[in-house]
Amino acid sequence: MLAPYACDPDRSRGRRVPEPAAPTRSMFQRDRDRIVHSTAFRRLVYKTQVFLNHEGDLFRTRLTHSLEVAQLGRSIARSLGLNEDLVEAIALAHDLGHTPFGHAGQDALHDCMREHGGFEHNLQSLRVVDQLELRYPQFDGLNLCFETREGILKHCARRDALRIEAAEPGGVARRFLVGTQPSLEAQLCNLADEIAYNAHDIDDGVRSGLLTLAQLDEVPLFTRYRDAALAEHPSLAGQGRRLLFEAIRRMLSDQVYDVIGTTRAALDVAAPATADEARQAGPLVGFSPAMRTDSTGLKRFLMRSLYRHPQVMDTTDRARRVVRELFDAYLASPHEMPADFAEAPDRHRAVADYIAGMTDRFALREHTRLGGESLFG
């Protein structure tokens, strides 16, 4: 049963192009289904989270990460009376605009586009669902509900917000100009994203050999659950992988319970009677202060020990080069792109759109085809 502050699909602000209701699905369920069937969603299976796709079959990709965010988000939403279908739709769509090669690809593409409006993956995710998916005769994009699009646009610089607001007055960018919050479902997805990537980056880091269990001794958020697991199951002392899994499982569970308890307390104080009142009340979904401190400590550890590891940095340097050289090649020879992109009036943005939609392996193949050089084995 939905809480009064949850987003009710029957009270949705609707789609940019009006459509008749589906006979068997709510508006948010329909959004979720459109996202799952989109080309951009399928491409996520071959897009980097931290480790490139060819580096191992068991590392997370953008697709598996999105599924984990959706699972965590739905679990929390159910306890808080929020709309699970909306949470799932936002979670599954939140990374649709990510470039190949993760943040390295985004940084390189932003550098290429610096004099032409820049590039930001949240804006690109919205662009994917609003314009770039070409599946329906009546409109470009997926024509998603306002509430889903609101959740996809997690961050937005004022310059970009003004541009979006001019094209869509009172739309998804308005909150960045007036200082309100998105729906509680959108706030929840943002936090579930953080919980998911912190946990699975520990797992992938250890699996890769770039992190060790000994290094994790400096992370209180991990050692607390590792020690509790060992106290309850002493036999885990000689089982590194199983101990790691159990510690991460406990860490995830406790973070979920922390979010539920902290958010319930905030909702009791704010007492929003509607979803719009919740948007006006300031951030309501969050960690307790102690859990926020521990989560920040984990993020700093991962930045220092994993994301800036020399082996990862070497890979990301080569990935940036691939993106930069692809950008230059397509800009000079647009006929190397499909006609929809080659004939677009804004060539720089069309090149950025084309590259952003690539999977890691397609970008590498194109780089080799156009440049005759393979930067990755």
Side-chain angles (χ1 to χ4, degrees):
M1 182 176 177
L2 289 180
Y5 44 72
C7 285
D8 184 343
D10 293 333
R11 298 178 181 176
S12 170
R13 287 181 53 178
R15 307 180 187 280
R16 294 195 300 167
V17 179
E19 296 182 62
T24 60
R25 296 171 293 168
S26 75
M27 294 185 74
F28 302 150
Q29 289 170 337
R30 199 177 190 185
D31 280 2
R32 174 202 59 206
D33 295 348
R34 288 182 175 185
I35 291 159
V36 167
H37 289 285
S38 69
T39 303
F41 183 74
R42 291 195 300 277
R43 287 178 179 145
L44 295 180
V45 71
Y46 292 118
K47 288 196 176 190
T48 289
Q49 184 68 26
V50 174
F51 297 95
L52 298 192
N53 182 252
H54 72 274
E55 294 181 294
D57 292 340
L58 298 180
F59 294 127
R60 268 71 171 190
T61 66
R62 288 286 167 192
L63 180 63
T64 58
H65 165 69
S66 296
L67 294 173
E68 292 183 25
V69 175
Q71 180 271 316
L72 287 167
R74 289 197 72 138
S75 295
I76 297 170
R78 189 174 302 121
S79 292
L80 294 173
L82 300 180
N83 193 298
E84 293 183 50
D85 296 321
L86 176 57
V87 168
E88 184 175 30
I90 295 170
L92 294 178
H94 83 282
D95 270 353
L96 292 181
H98 253 296
T99 63
F101 315 123
H103 288 284
Q106 173 182 271
D107 293 344
L109 203 50
H110 178 66
D111 287 342
C112 293
M113 289 291 293
R114 193 174 296 277
E115 303 302 319
H116 305 279
F119 180 89
E120 205 283 325
H121 74 86
N122 279 143
L123 289 172
Q124 190 69 11
S125 294
L126 187 66
R127 186 168 168 79
V128 166
V129 301
D130 280 357
Q131 300 178 48
L132 298 180
E133 282 287 324
L134 302 176
R135 306 182 66 84
Y136 302 95
Q138 312 98 310
F139 46 76
D140 291 341
L142 302 180
N143 199 31
L144 302 180
C145 296
F146 169 87
E147 292 79 6
T148 305
R149 297 172 59 243
E150 173 191 42
I152 291 171
L153 191 61
K154 295 195 300 183
H155 312 292
C156 192
R158 183 173 179 82
R159 176 195 64 184
D160 295 315
L162 288 168
R163 174 178 54 80
I164 297 170
E165 174 69 12
E168 183 187 349
V172 294
R174 172 63 64 87
R175 69 184 178 89
F176 297 101
L177 302 174
V178 299
T180 56
Q181 297 298 310
S183 69
L184 295 172
E185 287 83 356
Q187 293 179 45
L188 171 54
C189 282
N190 199 19
L191 193 56
D193 184 27
E194 176 184 342
I195 294 171
Y197 69 65
N198 277 344
H200 63 50
D201 286 354
I202 292 175
D203 184 13
D204 283 354
V206 173
R207 184 183 297 278
S208 72
L210 303 186
L211 293 180
T212 66
L213 289 175
Q215 283 179 283
L216 288 163
D217 283 344
E218 62 182 276
V219 183
L221 185 59
F222 177 81
T223 57
R224 179 159 71 246
Y225 303 107
R226 180 204 61 193
D227 293 347
L230 284 171
E232 189 172 341
H233 303 284
S235 63
L236 290 176
Q239 303 182 58
R241 292 298 300 172
R242 190 170 293 198
L243 175 59
L244 178 68
F245 292 151
E246 178 62 13
I248 291 174
R249 183 189 69 79
R250 290 171 182 244
M251 183 178 76
L252 283 170
S253 294
D254 208 31
Q255 287 183 302
V256 166
Y257 301 145
D258 183 271
V259 172
I260 292 169
T262 303
T263 303
R264 277 180 177 159
L267 288 167
D268 287 344
V269 172
T274 66
D276 278 338
E277 285 189 15
R279 289 181 173 93
Q280 302 292 326
L284 295 174
V285 180
F287 284 134
S288 65
M291 186 63 79
R292 169 49 63 199
T293 296
D294 284 347
S295 180
T296 300
L298 172 56
K299 288 164 70 173
R300 288 173 177 163
F301 166 81
L302 289 169
M303 178 62 71
R304 181 175 64 253
S305 302
L306 180 61
Y307 309 144
R308 292 179 179 164
H309 189 284
Q311 184 172 318
V312 173
M313 294 299 291
D314 175 65
T315 299
T316 56
D317 286 345
R318 285 182 282 165
R320 289 189 186 98
R321 180 179 163 191
V322 168
V323 170
R324 287 195 301 267
E325 292 179 359
L326 281 176
F327 189 90
D328 291 341
Y330 292 130
L331 201 61
S333 303
H335 63 274
E336 297 289 356
M337 301 186 294
D340 286 349
F341 296 94
E343 297 168 4
D346 185 342
R347 183 177 297 179
H348 287 85
R349 183 58 61 185
V351 171
D353 286 340
Y354 186 51
I355 293 174
M358 292 180 176
T359 63
D360 292 10
R361 63 183 186 176
F362 182 72
L364 293 175
R365 285 202 304 268
E366 282 290 276
H367 183 263
T368 301
R369 180 179 74 84
L370 296 172
E373 182 180 9
S374 177
L375 295 183
F376 295 89

